[in-house]
Each structure stands twice: as structure tokens, then as C-alpha cells.
Amino acid sequence: GSDLAVRLRRMHPKTPVVYYTAEGLLHERHATLAKCGEAYLVKPAEPDEIEWTVANLLIAKEIAEQGARQNVE
């Protein structure tokens, strides 16, 4: 999963990566996010948690894009 995420990140650097996995070990989480990713959800996640995570990543992406546009102007 993380190798695929790294390849996708190269193709689409601004797209947030969310891992959804059964692996809940803290060291796995840290290692995976250090390699590539913005969020790490452990199964079974509540639908509200998934929605909240995705919404916050999209808000963060929009804020970053607005900042980049302002720096260009």
C-alpha cells in the first residue's frame, strides 16, 4: 500500500493520501505516514471518523492551494 501511495504521490503531488487498514500498531502507523500520507485510519472506523478525516484533508488542501495562489500574485 505505501509503495503504491508513493508512486501515486509522484503523479499527483497535491492529492492527500488516507490509509485505511487493519494494522493498528503505532510503529506501523508512524513508519507508513513518514513514507507518504496524511491520515491513517484503523478498521473498523466509524463513518463519521472517515467523513471528518476526508473533509479536513480537503480543507487543508484548499488552504494550501489558496496560499500558493497568493504567493504567485
Side-chain angles (χ1 to χ4, degrees):
S2 61
D3 292 335
L4 175 60
V6 169
R7 285 186 281 172
L8 290 172
R9 175 57 56 83
R10 287 186 197 129
M11 294 172 14
H12 303 283
K14 295 180 183 177
T15 300
V17 174
V18 178
Y19 291 96
Y20 187 56
T21 180
E23 297 294 325
L25 299 174
L26 192 57
H27 72 278
E28 288 288 329
R29 186 180 302 197
H30 287 275
T32 300
L33 288 174
K35 190 171 186 180
C36 177
E38 284 69 40
Y40 191 100
L41 297 173
V42 178
K43 295 177 185 178
E46 294 292 324
D48 288 346
E49 182 182 11
I50 296 168
E51 184 179 341
W52 181 87
T53 300
V54 171
N56 280 302
L57 289 173
L58 293 174
I59 290 168
K61 180 182 176 191
E62 179 62 30
I63 291 169
E65 288 173 353
Q66 286 175 0
R69 284 193 297 269
Q70 289 176 353
N71 288 336
V72 171
E73 297 171 355

